[in-house]
């Protein structure tokens, strides 16, 4: 029996290699996974042309996955440094990489990325359109926008971020809303500008079926972008954000009718108390489709530390129903992240994802923490390092400050609580003095 997409296969009862792999990774019955895929609650982004993909599931009952943004720009157009970041991101176990390239040899970078990465790959084609055609944004035609989309999927991209929900009606609300930060989505702002100058509808909204044709042909997942995501706490959960979300829910149903897999992108900046409500609202308005969030960043006043503000929000979001976390680095709002910035962002986001998995009771999540606790109780330093999310940093800390006694550290020395409890319970003398 033939199938067009992973969703189509699940609906027809066909077990694809990708479905089999994800079921094994998630310790889930194939039948349960396929039932969730059939109703759109789980996606497996897997472009037919991404031949070395190691597929992952995103959505209901899955372990929370993380995404890493990178790519070349006009100010930083060298390909090799970005590919070094790709290698590091894969080493740090990122499940997805989004190529946000917007200038230079974007197709060369994209092709090399797909070729080298077993992680799923996403792109935002509108970023690439301006540089690719080397013309003013307003002069790009509808056909040219869709031609760039097709080039991306032909190159093997697994999911596409397209800001389909920012239509002219919502754009009018943006102009009246008196937001503090207006539109902070790069893709959303480009489409808003194109619509305003040309007095035309968003081509991806107006010609949504044309987009679905491309996605269905290559089995590409559609990541419905949040052009109205809040760029500050003040703008969170306003009418613009909610109206766009309602539109995305309508588009989700249209995509599912074509067996095209969908996930929904979400905020943004948001106070902690608003996050659970936003997660519930997305799931209700978008019919249980997987939710992909940037942060949310829970305060606006920590530039240089936004990997922390985002990790706080990401943990709450994940615990409350988000399925996919986009990393945020210390360089957010400030510059293109360096390799070190990227590493800090990945670890912070992985911490948030794992903390949420523990809180949700994901099978096996707490066992990792219990193993670390046993190693700590035994003062098994090599064991602790092997279990660490990032083994390198704790080893460096330990090596940089050697204690007098191996069963302690330079913080407490012989007063180490763990050391002394182990000794006294074993019937040994403690001897705190030298």
């Amino acid at each position: 029996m033939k199938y067009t997409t992973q969703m189509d296969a699940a609906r027809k009862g066909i077990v694809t290699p990708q479905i089999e792999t994800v079921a094994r990774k998630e310790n889930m019955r194939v039948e349960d996974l396929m039932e969730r895929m059939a109703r759109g609650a789980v996606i497996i982004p897997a472009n037919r042309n991404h031949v070395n993909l190691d597929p992952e599931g995103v959505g209901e009952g899955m372990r929370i996955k993380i995404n890493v943004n990178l790519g070349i720009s006009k100010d930083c157009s060298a390909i090799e440094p970005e590919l070094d970041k790709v290698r590091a991101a894969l080493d740090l176990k990122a499940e997805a990489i989004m190529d946000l390239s917007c200038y230079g040899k974007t197709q060369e970078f994209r092709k090399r990325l797909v070729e080298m990465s077993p992680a799923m790959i996403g792109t935002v084609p509108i970023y690439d359109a301006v540089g690719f055609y080397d013309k003013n944004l307003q002069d790009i035609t509808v056909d040219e926008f869709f031609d760039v989309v097709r080039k991306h999927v032909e190159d093997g991209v697994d999911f596409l971020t397209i800001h389909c929900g920012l239509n002219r009606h919502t754009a009018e609300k943006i102009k009246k809303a008196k937001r503090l930060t207006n539109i902070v989505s790069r893709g959303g702002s480009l489409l808003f500008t194109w619509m305003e100058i040309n007095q035309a509808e968003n081509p991806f909204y107006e010609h949504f079926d044309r987009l679905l044709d491309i996605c269905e042909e290559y089995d590409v997942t559609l990541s419905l972008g949040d052009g109205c995501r809040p760029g500050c706490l003040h703008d969170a959960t306003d009418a613009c954000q909610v109206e766009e979300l309602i539109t995305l829910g309508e588009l989700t149903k249209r995509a599912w009718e074509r067996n095209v897999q969908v996930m929904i992108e979400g905020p943004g900046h948001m106070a902690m108390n608003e996050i659970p409500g936003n997660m519930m609202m997305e799931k209700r308005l978008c019919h249980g489709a997987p939710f992909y969030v940037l942060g949310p960043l829970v305060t606006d006043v920590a530039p240089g530390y936004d990997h922390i503000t985002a990790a706080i929000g990401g943990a709450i979001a994940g615990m409350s129903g988000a399925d996919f976390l986009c990393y945020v680095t210390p360089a957010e709002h400030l510059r293109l992240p360096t390799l070190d910035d990227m590493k800090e962002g990945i670890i912070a986001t992985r911490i948030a994802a794992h903390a949420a998995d523990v809180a949700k009771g994901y099978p096996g999540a707490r066992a990792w923490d219990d193993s670390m606790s046993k190693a700590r109780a035994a003062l098994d330093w090599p064991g602790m390092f092997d279990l660490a999310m990032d083994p390198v940093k704790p080893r460096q800390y330990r090596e940089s400050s050697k204690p007098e006694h191996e069963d302690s550290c330079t913080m407490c020395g012989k007063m180490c609580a763990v050391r002394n409890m182990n000794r006294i319970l074993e019937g040994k003398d403690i001897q705190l003095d030298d």
Side-chain angles (χ1 to χ4, degrees), residues 15-34 37 42-44 54-58 61-62 65 362:
V15 181
T16 67
Q18 294 84 0
I19 290 173
E20 193 171 32
T21 297
V22 170
R24 185 182 71 251
K25 286 183 175 182
E26 301 284 346
N27 295 312
M28 178 178 288
R29 294 173 65 245
V30 166
E31 294 79 7
D32 293 338
L33 174 59
M34 293 173 71
M37 293 177 66
V42 171
I43 57 173
I44 301 178
D54 185 8
E56 296 284 355
V58 177
M62 305 285 105
K65 309 305 188 299
Y362 180 82

Side-chain angles (χ1 to χ4, degrees), residues 49 94 146 148 246 402 429:
N49 289 351
F146 279 95
V148 170
I246 292 170
K402 283 286 191 179
D429 188 9

Side-chain angles (χ1 to χ4, degrees), residues 48 75 169 206 216 218 223 241 277 288 296 374 400:
R48 287 188 241 286
D75 290 317
H169 181 71
E206 184 176 9
E216 184 181 22
Y218 290 86
S223 185
Q241 179 197 337
K374 291 173 184 177
S400 70

Side-chain angles (χ1 to χ4, degrees), residues 29-83:
R29 294 173 65 245
V30 166
E31 294 79 7
D32 293 338
L33 174 59
M34 293 173 71
E35 185 275 330
R36 295 174 193 187
M37 293 177 66
R39 56 184 167 86
V42 171
I43 57 173
I44 301 178
N47 187 321
R48 287 188 241 286
N49 289 351
H50 191 176
V51 294
N52 65 329
L53 174 70
D54 185 8
E56 296 284 355
V58 177
E60 182 183 309
M62 305 285 105
R63 180 176 52 83
I64 295 174
K65 309 305 188 299
I66 75 162
N67 171 72
V68 171
N69 291 340
L70 41 75
I72 55 176
S73 67
K74 191 164 188 176
D75 290 317
C76 302
S77 59
I79 288 177
E80 291 306 325
E82 288 304 292
L83 291 177

